[in-house]
Coordinates of all heavy atoms in Angstrom, one line a residue:
M405 N 0.8 -1.2 0.0 CA 0.0 0.0 0.0 C 0.9 1.2 0.0 O 1.9 1.3 0.7 CB -0.9 0.0 1.2 CG -1.7 1.3 1.4 SD -2.7 1.3 2.8 CE -4.3 1.1 2.0
Y406 N 0.5 2.2 -0.8 CA 1.2 3.5 -0.9 C 1.1 4.3 0.3 O 0.0 4.5 0.8 CB 0.7 4.3 -2.1 CG 1.4 5.6 -2.3 CD1 2.7 5.7 -2.9 CD2 0.8 6.8 -1.9 CE1 3.3 6.9 -3.1 CE2 1.5 8.0 -2.0 CZ 2.7 8.0 -2.6 OH 3.4 9.2 -2.8
T407 N 2.2 4.7 0.9 CA 2.2 5.6 2.1 C 3.0 6.8 1.9 O 3.4 7.4 2.9 CB 2.7 4.8 3.3 OG1 4.0 4.3 3.0 CG2 1.8 3.6 3.6
G408 N 3.3 7.2 0.7 CA 4.1 8.3 0.4 C 3.5 9.7 0.8 O 2.4 9.8 1.4
K409 N 4.3 10.7 0.5 CA 3.9 12.1 0.9 C 2.7 12.7 0.3 O 2.1 13.6 0.8 CB 5.1 13.0 0.7 CG 5.5 13.1 -0.8 CD 6.8 13.9 -0.9 CE 7.3 13.8 -2.4 NZ 8.6 14.4 -2.6
L410 N 2.2 12.1 -0.8 CA 1.0 12.6 -1.5 C -0.3 12.1 -0.9 O -1.3 12.7 -1.1 CB 1.0 12.2 -3.0 CG 2.1 12.9 -3.9 CD1 2.0 12.4 -5.3 CD2 1.9 14.4 -3.9
K411 N -0.2 11.0 -0.2 CA -1.4 10.4 0.3 C -2.4 11.3 1.1 O -2.0 11.9 2.1 CB -1.0 9.2 1.2 CG -2.2 8.4 1.7 CD -2.5 7.3 0.8 CE -3.4 6.3 1.5 NZ -4.6 6.1 0.8
D412 N -3.6 11.4 0.6 CA -4.6 12.2 1.3 C -6.0 11.8 0.8 O -6.1 11.1 -0.2 CB -4.4 13.7 1.3 CG -4.7 14.4 0.1 OD1 -5.4 13.8 -0.8 OD2 -4.3 15.5 -0.1
E413 N -7.0 12.2 1.5 CA -8.4 11.7 1.2 C -8.9 12.2 -0.1 O -9.5 11.5 -0.9 CB -9.3 12.3 2.3 CG -10.7 11.8 2.2 CD -11.6 12.3 3.3 OE1 -11.1 12.4 4.5 OE2 -12.8 12.6 3.1
L414 N -8.5 13.5 -0.5 CA -9.0 14.0 -1.8 C -8.3 13.3 -3.0 O -9.0 13.0 -4.0 CB -8.7 15.5 -1.9 CG -9.5 16.4 -0.9 CD1 -9.0 17.9 -1.1 CD2 -11.0 16.3 -1.2
L415 N -7.0 13.0 -2.9 CA -6.4 12.2 -3.9 C -6.9 10.8 -4.0 O -7.1 10.2 -5.1 CB -4.9 12.2 -3.7 CG -4.2 13.5 -4.2 CD1 -2.7 13.5 -3.8 CD2 -4.4 13.8 -5.6
D416 N -7.2 10.2 -2.8 CA -7.8 8.9 -2.8 C -9.1 8.9 -3.7 O -9.3 8.0 -4.5 CB -8.2 8.4 -1.4 CG -7.0 7.9 -0.6 OD1 -5.9 7.8 -1.2 OD2 -7.2 7.7 0.6
R417 N -9.9 9.9 -3.4 CA -11.2 10.0 -4.1 C -11.0 10.2 -5.6 O -11.7 9.6 -6.5 CB -12.1 11.1 -3.5 CG -13.5 10.9 -3.8 CD -14.4 11.9 -3.0 NE -13.7 12.9 -2.2 CZ -13.9 13.1 -0.9 NH1 -14.8 12.3 -0.3 NH2 -13.3 14.0 -0.2
L418 N -10.0 11.0 -6.0 CA -9.7 11.3 -7.4 C -9.3 10.0 -8.1 O -9.8 9.6 -9.1 CB -8.6 12.3 -7.6 CG -8.1 12.5 -9.0 CD1 -9.1 13.0 -9.9 CD2 -6.9 13.4 -9.0
F419 N -8.3 9.3 -7.5 CA -7.8 8.0 -8.1 C -8.9 6.9 -8.1 O -8.9 6.2 -9.1 CB -6.6 7.6 -7.3 CG -5.4 8.5 -7.4 CD1 -4.5 8.7 -6.4 CD2 -5.2 9.3 -8.5 CE1 -3.5 9.6 -6.4 CE2 -4.1 10.2 -8.6 CZ -3.3 10.3 -7.6
E420 N -9.7 6.9 -7.1 CA -10.8 5.9 -7.2 C -11.8 6.2 -8.3 O -12.2 5.3 -9.0 CB -11.6 5.9 -5.8 CG -10.8 5.3 -4.7 CD -11.4 5.5 -3.3 OE1 -12.4 6.2 -3.2 OE2 -10.8 5.0 -2.4
A421 N -12.0 7.5 -8.6 CA -12.8 7.9 -9.7 C -12.2 7.5 -11.0 O -12.8 7.0 -11.9 CB -13.1 9.4 -9.7
I422 N -10.9 7.7 -11.1 CA -10.2 7.4 -12.4 C -10.2 5.9 -12.6 O -10.4 5.4 -13.7 CB -8.7 7.9 -12.3 CG1 -8.7 9.4 -12.4 CG2 -7.9 7.2 -13.4 CD1 -7.3 10.0 -12.0
M423 N -10.1 5.1 -11.5 CA -10.2 3.6 -11.7 C -11.6 3.1 -12.1 O -11.7 2.0 -12.6 CB -9.7 2.9 -10.4 CG -8.3 3.1 -10.1 SD -7.6 2.1 -8.7 CE -8.8 2.5 -7.4
L424 N -12.6 4.0 -12.0 CA -13.9 3.6 -12.5 C -14.1 3.7 -14.0 O -15.0 3.2 -14.6 CB -15.0 4.4 -11.8 CG -15.1 4.2 -10.3 CD1 -16.1 5.2 -9.6 CD2 -15.5 2.7 -10.0
L425 N -13.2 4.5 -14.6 CA -13.3 4.7 -16.1 C -13.0 3.4 -16.8 O -12.1 2.7 -16.5 CB -12.3 5.8 -16.5 CG -12.6 7.1 -15.8 CD1 -11.4 8.1 -16.1 CD2 -13.9 7.7 -16.2
E426 N -13.8 3.1 -17.8 CA -13.8 1.8 -18.5 C -13.1 1.7 -19.8 O -12.7 0.7 -20.3 CB -15.2 1.2 -18.6 CG -15.8 0.9 -17.2 CD -17.2 0.4 -17.3 OE1 -17.7 0.1 -18.5 OE2 -17.8 0.2 -16.3
D427 N -13.0 2.9 -20.5 CA -12.4 2.8 -21.8 C -11.8 4.2 -22.2 O -11.9 5.2 -21.4 CB -13.3 2.3 -22.9 CG -14.6 3.2 -23.0 OD1 -14.6 4.4 -22.7 OD2 -15.7 2.6 -23.3
L428 N -11.2 4.3 -23.3 CA -10.5 5.6 -23.7 C -11.6 6.7 -23.9 O -11.3 7.8 -23.5 CB -9.8 5.4 -25.1 CG -8.4 4.9 -25.1 CD1 -7.9 4.6 -26.5 CD2 -7.5 5.8 -24.3
D429 N -12.7 6.4 -24.4 CA -13.8 7.4 -24.5 C -14.1 8.0 -23.2 O -14.2 9.2 -23.0 CB -15.0 6.8 -25.2 CG -16.1 7.9 -25.4 OD1 -15.9 8.8 -26.2 OD2 -17.2 7.7 -24.8
E430 N -14.3 7.2 -22.2 CA -14.7 7.7 -20.9 C -13.5 8.5 -20.3 O -13.7 9.5 -19.6 CB -15.0 6.5 -19.9 CG -16.4 5.9 -20.2 CD -16.8 4.8 -19.3 OE1 -16.0 4.5 -18.3 OE2 -17.8 4.2 -19.5
C431 N -12.3 8.1 -20.5 CA -11.1 8.8 -20.1 C -11.1 10.2 -20.7 O -10.9 11.2 -20.0 CB -9.8 8.1 -20.4 SG -9.5 6.6 -19.3
Y432 N -11.3 10.3 -22.0 CA -11.3 11.6 -22.7 C -12.4 12.5 -22.1 O -12.2 13.6 -21.8 CB -11.5 11.4 -24.2 CG -10.3 11.2 -25.0 CD1 -9.9 9.9 -25.4 CD2 -9.4 12.3 -25.3 CE1 -8.8 9.7 -26.2 CE2 -8.3 12.1 -26.0 CZ -8.0 10.8 -26.4 OH -6.8 10.6 -27.2
R433 N -13.6 11.9 -21.9 CA -14.7 12.7 -21.3 C -14.4 13.2 -19.9 O -14.6 14.4 -19.6 CB -16.0 11.9 -21.4 CG -16.4 11.6 -22.8 CD -17.5 10.6 -22.9 NE -18.7 10.9 -22.1 CZ -19.6 10.0 -21.7 NH1 -19.4 8.7 -22.1 NH2 -20.6 10.3 -21.0
F434 N -13.9 12.4 -19.1 CA -13.6 12.7 -17.7 C -12.5 13.8 -17.6 O -12.6 14.8 -17.0 CB -13.3 11.5 -16.8 CG -13.0 11.8 -15.4 CD1 -13.9 12.2 -14.5 CD2 -11.6 11.7 -15.0 CE1 -13.6 12.6 -13.2 CE2 -11.3 12.0 -13.7 CZ -12.3 12.4 -12.8
F435 N -11.4 13.4 -18.3 CA -10.2 14.3 -18.2 C -10.5 15.7 -18.9 O -9.9 16.7 -18.5 CB -9.0 13.6 -18.7 CG -8.4 12.7 -17.7 CD1 -8.7 11.3 -17.7 CD2 -7.6 13.1 -16.6 CE1 -8.2 10.4 -16.8 CE2 -7.1 12.3 -15.7 CZ -7.4 10.9 -15.7
E436 N -11.3 15.7 -19.9 CA -11.6 17.0 -20.5 C -12.4 17.9 -19.5 O -12.2 19.1 -19.5 CB -12.5 16.8 -21.8 CG -12.8 18.1 -22.5 CD -13.6 17.8 -23.8 OE1 -13.4 16.8 -24.4 OE2 -14.4 18.7 -24.1
D437 N -13.2 17.3 -18.7 CA -13.9 18.0 -17.7 C -13.0 18.5 -16.5 O -13.2 19.5 -16.0 CB -15.1 17.2 -17.2 CG -16.3 17.1 -18.1 OD1 -16.3 17.8 -19.1 OD2 -17.2 16.3 -17.8
I438 N -12.1 17.6 -16.1 CA -11.4 17.9 -14.9 C -10.1 18.6 -15.1 O -9.6 19.2 -14.1 CB -11.2 16.5 -14.1 CG1 -10.9 16.8 -12.6 CG2 -10.1 15.7 -14.7 CD1 -11.0 15.6 -11.7
C439 N -9.5 18.6 -16.3 CA -8.2 19.2 -16.5 C -8.3 20.2 -17.7 O -9.2 20.1 -18.5 CB -7.2 18.1 -16.9 SG -6.8 16.9 -15.7
T440 N -7.4 21.1 -17.7 CA -7.2 22.0 -18.8 C -6.5 21.2 -19.9 O -5.8 20.2 -19.6 CB -6.4 23.3 -18.5 OG1 -5.1 22.9 -18.2 CG2 -7.0 24.0 -17.3
V441 N -6.6 21.7 -21.1 CA -5.8 21.1 -22.2 C -4.3 21.1 -21.9 O -3.6 20.1 -22.1 CB -6.1 21.8 -23.6 CG1 -5.2 21.3 -24.7 CG2 -7.6 21.6 -23.9
A442 N -3.8 22.2 -21.4 CA -2.4 22.3 -21.1 C -2.0 21.3 -20.0 O -0.9 20.7 -20.2 CB -2.1 23.7 -20.6
E443 N -2.8 21.1 -19.0 CA -2.5 20.1 -18.0 C -2.4 18.7 -18.6 O -1.5 17.9 -18.3 CB -3.5 20.1 -16.9 CG -3.4 21.3 -16.0 CD -4.6 21.5 -15.1 OE1 -5.7 21.0 -15.4 OE2 -4.5 22.2 -14.1
L444 N -3.3 18.3 -19.4 CA -3.3 17.0 -20.1 C -2.1 16.9 -21.0 O -1.5 15.8 -21.0 CB -4.6 16.8 -20.8 CG -5.8 16.5 -20.0 CD1 -7.1 16.5 -20.9 CD2 -5.7 15.2 -19.3
K445 N -1.8 17.9 -21.8 CA -0.7 17.8 -22.7 C 0.6 17.6 -21.9 O 1.5 16.9 -22.3 CB -0.6 19.1 -23.6 CG -1.8 19.2 -24.5 CD -1.5 18.8 -25.8 CE -2.8 19.1 -26.7 NZ -2.8 18.2 -27.9
T446 N 0.7 18.3 -20.7 CA 1.9 18.2 -19.9 C 2.0 16.8 -19.4 O 3.1 16.2 -19.4 CB 1.8 19.2 -18.7 OG1 1.8 20.5 -19.3 CG2 3.0 19.0 -17.8
L447 N 1.0 16.2 -18.9 CA 1.0 14.8 -18.4 C 1.4 13.8 -19.5 O 2.3 12.9 -19.3 CB -0.3 14.4 -17.8 CG -0.8 15.1 -16.5 CD1 -2.2 14.7 -16.2 CD2 0.2 14.7 -15.4
A448 N 0.8 14.0 -20.7 CA 1.1 13.1 -21.8 C 2.6 13.3 -22.3 O 3.3 12.3 -22.6 CB 0.2 13.5 -23.0
Q449 N 3.1 14.6 -22.2 CA 4.5 14.8 -22.6 C 5.4 14.1 -21.6 O 6.4 13.5 -22.0 CB 4.7 16.3 -22.5 CG 6.1 16.7 -22.8 CD 6.4 18.2 -22.5 OE1 6.3 18.6 -21.4 NE2 6.7 19.0 -23.6
R450 N 5.1 14.2 -20.3 CA 6.0 13.5 -19.3 C 6.0 12.0 -19.5 O 7.1 11.4 -19.4 CB 5.5 13.9 -17.9 CG 5.8 15.3 -17.5 CD 5.4 15.6 -16.1 NE 5.6 17.0 -15.9 CZ 5.3 17.6 -14.7 NH1 4.7 16.9 -13.8 NH2 5.6 18.9 -14.6
L451 N 4.9 11.4 -19.9 CA 4.9 10.0 -20.1 C 5.7 9.6 -21.3 O 6.5 8.7 -21.3 CB 3.4 9.5 -20.3 CG 3.3 8.0 -20.4 CD1 3.7 7.3 -19.1 CD2 1.8 7.7 -20.7
E452 N 5.7 10.5 -22.4 CA 6.5 10.2 -23.6 C 8.0 10.4 -23.3 O 8.8 9.7 -23.7 CB 6.0 11.1 -24.7 CG 6.7 10.9 -26.0 CD 6.5 9.5 -26.6 OE1 5.5 8.8 -26.2 OE2 7.3 9.1 -27.5
V453 N 8.3 11.4 -22.5 CA 9.7 11.7 -22.1 C 10.2 10.5 -21.3 O 11.3 10.0 -21.6 CB 9.8 13.0 -21.2 CG1 11.1 13.1 -20.5 CG2 9.5 14.2 -22.1
A454 N 9.4 10.0 -20.4 CA 9.8 8.8 -19.6 C 10.1 7.6 -20.5 O 11.1 6.9 -20.4 CB 8.8 8.4 -18.6
K455 N 9.2 7.4 -21.5 CA 9.4 6.3 -22.4 C 10.7 6.4 -23.2 O 11.4 5.5 -23.4 CB 8.2 6.3 -23.4 CG 8.2 5.2 -24.5 CD 7.0 5.3 -25.3 CE 7.1 4.5 -26.6 NZ 7.7 5.2 -27.7
M456 N 10.9 7.7 -23.7 CA 12.2 7.9 -24.4 C 13.4 7.8 -23.6 O 14.4 7.3 -24.1 CB 12.1 9.3 -25.1 CG 11.0 9.3 -26.2 SD 10.9 10.9 -27.0 CE 12.3 10.7 -28.1
I457 N 13.3 8.2 -22.3 CA 14.5 8.0 -21.4 C 14.8 6.5 -21.3 O 15.9 6.0 -21.3 CB 14.2 8.6 -20.1 CG1 14.3 10.2 -20.2 CG2 15.3 8.2 -19.0 CD1 13.8 10.9 -19.0
Q458 N 13.7 5.7 -21.1 CA 13.8 4.2 -21.0 C 14.5 3.6 -22.3 O 15.1 2.6 -22.2 CB 12.5 3.6 -20.8 CG 11.8 4.0 -19.5 CD 12.3 3.2 -18.3 OE1 13.5 3.2 -18.0 NE2 11.4 2.5 -17.6
E459 N 14.2 4.3 -23.4 CA 14.8 3.8 -24.7 C 16.3 4.4 -24.9 O 16.8 4.2 -25.9 CB 14.0 4.3 -25.8 CG 12.6 3.7 -25.8 CD 11.6 4.3 -26.8 OE1 11.9 5.4 -27.4 OE2 10.5 3.8 -27.0
N460 N 16.8 5.0 -23.8 CA 18.2 5.6 -23.9 C 18.3 6.7 -24.9 O 19.4 6.8 -25.5 CB 19.2 4.5 -24.0 CG 19.3 3.6 -22.8 OD1 19.3 4.1 -21.7 ND2 19.3 2.3 -23.1
R461 N 17.3 7.4 -25.2 CA 17.4 8.6 -26.1 C 18.1 9.7 -25.5 O 18.1 9.9 -24.2 CB 16.0 9.0 -26.6 CG 15.1 8.0 -27.2 CD 15.7 7.6 -28.6 NE 14.8 6.5 -29.2 CZ 13.9 6.8 -30.0 NH1 13.6 8.0 -30.4 NH2 13.2 5.8 -30.5
T462 N 18.7 10.6 -26.2 CA 19.4 11.7 -25.7 C 18.5 12.8 -25.3 O 17.3 12.9 -25.8 CB 20.5 12.3 -26.7 OG1 19.7 12.8 -27.8 CG2 21.4 11.2 -27.2
Y463 N 18.9 13.8 -24.5 CA 18.1 14.9 -24.1 C 17.7 15.7 -25.4 O 16.5 16.1 -25.5 CB 18.8 15.8 -23.2 CG 18.7 15.5 -21.7 CD1 18.8 14.2 -21.3 CD2 18.6 16.5 -20.8 CE1 18.7 13.9 -19.9 CE2 18.5 16.2 -19.4 CZ 18.6 14.9 -19.0 OH 18.5 14.6 -17.7
G464 N 18.6 15.8 -26.3 CA 18.3 16.5 -27.6 C 17.2 15.8 -28.3 O 16.2 16.5 -28.8
E465 N 17.3 14.5 -28.5 CA 16.2 13.8 -29.2 C 14.9 13.9 -28.5 O 13.8 14.1 -29.1 CB 16.6 12.3 -29.3 CG 17.7 11.9 -30.2 CD 18.1 10.5 -30.1 OE1 18.3 10.0 -29.0 OE2 18.0 9.8 -31.1
I466 N 14.9 13.8 -27.2 CA 13.7 13.9 -26.4 C 13.1 15.3 -26.5 O 11.9 15.4 -26.8 CB 13.9 13.5 -24.9 CG1 14.4 12.1 -24.8 CG2 12.7 13.8 -24.1 CD1 14.9 11.7 -23.4
S467 N 13.9 16.3 -26.4 CA 13.4 17.7 -26.5 C 12.8 18.0 -27.9 O 11.7 18.6 -28.0 CB 14.5 18.6 -26.1 OG 14.0 20.0 -26.2
N468 N 13.5 17.5 -28.9 CA 13.0 17.8 -30.3 C 11.7 17.1 -30.5 O 10.8 17.6 -31.2 CB 14.1 17.3 -31.3 CG 15.3 18.2 -31.4 OD1 15.2 19.4 -31.0 ND2 16.4 17.7 -31.9
R469 N 11.6 15.9 -30.1 CA 10.3 15.1 -30.3 C 9.1 15.6 -29.5 O 8.0 15.6 -30.0 CB 10.6 13.6 -30.1 CG 9.3 12.8 -30.0 CD 9.4 11.5 -30.6 NE 8.2 10.8 -30.2 CZ 7.3 10.3 -31.1 NH1 7.5 10.4 -32.3 NH2 6.3 9.6 -30.6
T470 N 9.4 15.9 -28.2 CA 8.3 16.2 -27.3 C 8.1 17.7 -27.0 O 7.1 18.1 -26.5 CB 8.5 15.5 -25.9 OG1 9.7 16.1 -25.3 CG2 8.7 14.0 -26.1
G471 N 9.2 18.5 -27.3 CA 9.1 19.9 -26.9 C 9.4 20.1 -25.4 O 9.3 21.3 -24.9
A472 N 9.8 19.1 -24.7 CA 10.0 19.2 -23.3 C 11.4 20.0 -23.0 O 12.3 19.8 -23.8 CB 10.1 17.8 -22.6
S473 N 11.4 20.7 -22.0 CA 12.6 21.4 -21.6 C 13.6 20.4 -21.0 O 13.2 19.4 -20.5 CB 12.3 22.6 -20.6 OG 11.9 22.0 -19.4
T474 N 14.8 20.8 -20.9 CA 15.8 20.0 -20.2 C 15.5 19.8 -18.7 O 15.7 18.8 -18.1 CB 17.2 20.5 -20.4 OG1 17.3 21.8 -19.9 CG2 17.7 20.4 -21.8
A475 N 14.8 20.8 -18.1 CA 14.4 20.7 -16.7 C 13.4 19.7 -16.6 O 13.4 18.9 -15.6 CB 13.9 22.1 -16.2
T476 N 12.4 19.6 -17.5 CA 11.3 18.6 -17.4 C 11.9 17.2 -17.6 O 11.6 16.3 -16.9 CB 10.3 18.9 -18.5 OG1 9.6 20.1 -18.1 CG2 9.2 17.8 -18.5
I477 N 12.8 17.1 -18.6 CA 13.5 15.8 -18.9 C 14.2 15.3 -17.6 O 14.2 14.2 -17.2 CB 14.4 15.9 -20.1 CG1 13.6 16.2 -21.3 CG2 15.2 14.6 -20.3 CD1 14.4 16.7 -22.5
S478 N 15.0 16.3 -17.0 CA 15.7 15.9 -15.8 C 14.8 15.5 -14.6 O 15.1 14.5 -13.9 CB 16.5 17.1 -15.3 OG 17.6 17.4 -16.2
R479 N 13.6 16.2 -14.5 CA 12.7 15.8 -13.4 C 12.1 14.4 -13.7 O 12.0 13.6 -12.7 CB 11.5 16.8 -13.4 CG 11.5 17.7 -12.2 CD 10.3 18.7 -12.2 NE 10.8 19.9 -12.8 CZ 10.1 20.5 -13.8 NH1 9.1 20.0 -14.3 NH2 10.6 21.6 -14.4
V480 N 11.8 14.1 -14.9 CA 11.2 12.8 -15.2 C 12.3 11.7 -15.0 O 12.0 10.7 -14.5 CB 10.7 12.8 -16.7 CG1 10.4 11.3 -17.1 CG2 9.5 13.7 -16.8
K481 N 13.5 12.0 -15.4 CA 14.6 11.1 -15.2 C 14.8 10.8 -13.7 O 15.0 9.6 -13.3 CB 15.9 11.6 -15.8 CG 17.0 10.6 -15.8 CD 18.2 11.0 -16.6 CE 19.3 9.9 -16.6 NZ 20.4 10.2 -17.5
R482 N 14.8 11.8 -12.9 CA 14.9 11.7 -11.5 C 13.8 10.8 -10.9 O 14.0 9.9 -10.1 CB 14.9 13.0 -10.8 CG 15.3 13.0 -9.3 CD 15.5 14.4 -8.7 NE 14.6 15.4 -9.1 CZ 15.0 16.4 -9.9 NH1 16.2 16.5 -10.5 NH2 14.1 17.4 -10.2
A483 N 12.5 11.0 -11.4 CA 11.4 10.2 -11.0 C 11.6 8.7 -11.4 O 11.3 7.8 -10.6 CB 10.1 10.7 -11.5
L484 N 12.2 8.5 -12.6 CA 12.4 7.1 -13.0 C 13.5 6.5 -12.2 O 13.4 5.3 -11.9 CB 12.9 7.1 -14.5 CG 11.9 7.3 -15.6 CD1 12.5 7.6 -16.9 CD2 11.0 6.1 -15.7
N485 N 14.5 7.2 -11.8 CA 15.6 6.6 -11.0 C 15.3 6.6 -9.5 O 15.8 5.6 -8.8 CB 16.9 7.4 -11.2 CG 17.4 7.2 -12.6 OD1 17.2 6.2 -13.3 ND2 18.0 8.3 -13.2
Y486 N 14.6 7.5 -8.9 CA 14.5 7.6 -7.5 C 13.0 7.8 -7.0 O 12.8 8.0 -5.8 CB 15.3 8.8 -7.0 CG 16.7 8.8 -7.4 CD1 17.2 9.7 -8.4 CD2 17.6 7.9 -6.9 CE1 18.5 9.7 -8.8 CE2 18.9 7.8 -7.3 CZ 19.4 8.8 -8.2 OH 20.7 8.7 -8.7
G487 N 12.1 7.7 -7.9 CA 10.7 7.9 -7.5 C 10.0 6.6 -7.0 O 10.7 5.7 -6.5
A488 N 8.7 6.6 -7.1 CA 7.9 5.6 -6.5 C 7.7 4.4 -7.4 O 6.8 3.5 -7.2 CB 6.5 6.1 -6.0
D489 N 8.4 4.3 -8.5 CA 8.3 3.3 -9.6 C 6.9 3.3 -10.3 O 6.6 2.2 -10.9 CB 8.6 1.9 -9.0 CG 10.0 1.7 -8.6 OD1 10.9 2.4 -9.3 OD2 10.3 0.9 -7.7
G490 N 6.2 4.4 -10.3 CA 5.0 4.5 -11.0 C 5.1 4.3 -12.5 O 4.3 3.6 -13.2
Y491 N 6.2 5.0 -13.1 CA 6.4 4.9 -14.5 C 6.7 3.4 -14.8 O 6.2 2.9 -15.8 CB 7.6 5.7 -14.9 CG 7.3 7.2 -15.1 CD1 8.0 8.1 -14.3 CD2 6.4 7.7 -16.0 CE1 7.8 9.5 -14.4 CE2 6.2 9.0 -16.2 CZ 6.9 9.9 -15.4 OH 6.7 11.3 -15.5
K492 N 7.5 2.8 -14.1 CA 7.9 1.4 -14.3 C 6.7 0.5 -14.3 O 6.5 -0.4 -15.2 CB 8.9 0.9 -13.3 CG 9.4 -0.6 -13.5 CD 10.3 -1.0 -12.4 CE 10.8 -2.4 -12.5 NZ 10.0 -3.4 -13.2
L493 N 5.8 0.7 -13.3 CA 4.6 -0.1 -13.2 C 3.7 0.0 -14.5 O 3.3 -1.0 -15.0 CB 3.8 0.4 -12.0 CG 2.4 -0.2 -11.7 CD1 2.6 -1.7 -11.3 CD2 1.7 0.6 -10.7
V494 N 3.5 1.3 -14.9 CA 2.7 1.5 -16.1 C 3.4 0.9 -17.4 O 2.7 0.3 -18.2 CB 2.4 3.0 -16.3 CG1 1.9 3.3 -17.6 CG2 1.5 3.5 -15.2
F495 N 4.7 1.1 -17.5 CA 5.4 0.6 -18.7 C 5.4 -0.9 -18.8 O 5.2 -1.5 -19.8 CB 6.8 1.2 -18.8 CG 6.9 2.6 -19.1 CD1 7.8 3.4 -18.6 CD2 6.0 3.2 -20.0 CE1 7.9 4.8 -18.8 CE2 6.0 4.6 -20.3 CZ 7.0 5.4 -19.7
D496 N 5.5 -1.5 -17.6 CA 5.5 -3.0 -17.5 C 4.1 -3.5 -18.0 O 4.0 -4.4 -18.8 CB 5.8 -3.5 -16.1 CG 7.2 -3.4 -15.8 OD1 8.1 -3.1 -16.7 OD2 7.6 -3.6 -14.6
R497 N 3.1 -2.8 -17.5 CA 1.7 -3.3 -17.9 C 1.4 -3.0 -19.3 O 0.7 -3.7 -20.0 CB 0.7 -2.6 -16.9 CG 0.8 -3.2 -15.6 CD -0.3 -2.9 -14.7 NE -0.1 -3.5 -13.4 CZ -0.7 -3.0 -12.3 NH1 -1.5 -2.0 -12.3 NH2 -0.4 -3.6 -11.1
L498 N 1.9 -1.8 -19.8 CA 1.6 -1.5 -21.3 C 2.3 -2.5 -22.2 O 1.8 -2.8 -23.3 CB 2.1 -0.1 -21.6 CG 1.3 1.1 -21.1 CD1 2.0 2.4 -21.3 CD2 -0.1 1.1 -21.8
S499 N 3.4 -3.1 -21.7 CA 4.2 -4.0 -22.6 C 3.6 -5.4 -22.6 O 3.9 -6.3 -23.4 CB 5.6 -4.1 -22.2 OG 5.8 -4.7 -20.9
E500 N 2.6 -5.7 -21.7 CA 2.0 -7.0 -21.6 C 1.0 -7.3 -22.7 O 0.4 -6.4 -23.2 CB 1.3 -7.2 -20.2 CG 2.3 -7.2 -19.1 CD 1.6 -7.2 -17.7 OE1 0.4 -7.2 -17.6 OE2 2.3 -7.3 -16.7

């Protein structure tokens, strides 16, 4: 069970709501209501940055493809190396 610094009742409720979504259409509908376009694009960008880091791409390649700054790439790399293994969990499941 996750016991990290983010844990709180409001986030529990948000994540429980997300887990109720059944398909891509429902995800699009929910996230369009709850997030701005910029917030969603940022999350998608970070996931792509993480994927490219896993593929051993250079910062230049990652920045050119995603538009991410070197600061964002560094933050994602730090999360991959020292975070809660959330990216790893998702990538492992996506590859199944």
Side-chain angles (χ1 to χ4, degrees):
M405 173 181 255
Y406 179 80
T407 57
K409 60 187 172 187
L410 291 178
K411 180 91 170 124
D412 74 19
E413 186 178 322
L414 292 177
L415 282 174
D416 283 354
R417 204 170 2 234
L418 171 64
F419 296 146
E420 287 166 0
I422 291 169
M423 290 189 310
L424 294 173
L425 300 171
E426 295 181 4
D427 57 31
L428 276 175
D429 182 62
E430 288 185 2
C431 286
Y432 273 103
R433 291 168 54 201
F434 178 72
F435 281 99
E436 182 176 328
D437 286 350
I438 201 167
C439 294
T440 66
V441 171
E443 289 167 336
L444 285 171
K445 298 260 184 202
T446 297
L447 292 172
Q449 179 190 64
R450 288 181 184 177
L451 186 61
E452 184 64 17
V453 167
K455 178 178 166 274
M456 293 181 76
I457 290 170
Q458 296 279 57
E459 295 168 348
N460 294 313
R461 303 291 180 95
T462 67
Y463 273 39
E465 289 175 305
I466 296 168
S467 181
N468 287 339
R469 167 143 167 119
T470 66
S473 68
T474 56
T476 295
I477 297 167
S478 293
R479 250 183 269 125
V480 171
K481 186 172 185 173
R482 188 169 42 254
L484 282 166
N485 292 329
Y486 306 109
D489 289 332
Y491 284 118
K492 180 182 179 338
L493 177 71
V494 167
F495 291 142
D496 286 350
R497 290 192 181 158
L498 283 171
S499 68
E500 292 175 357

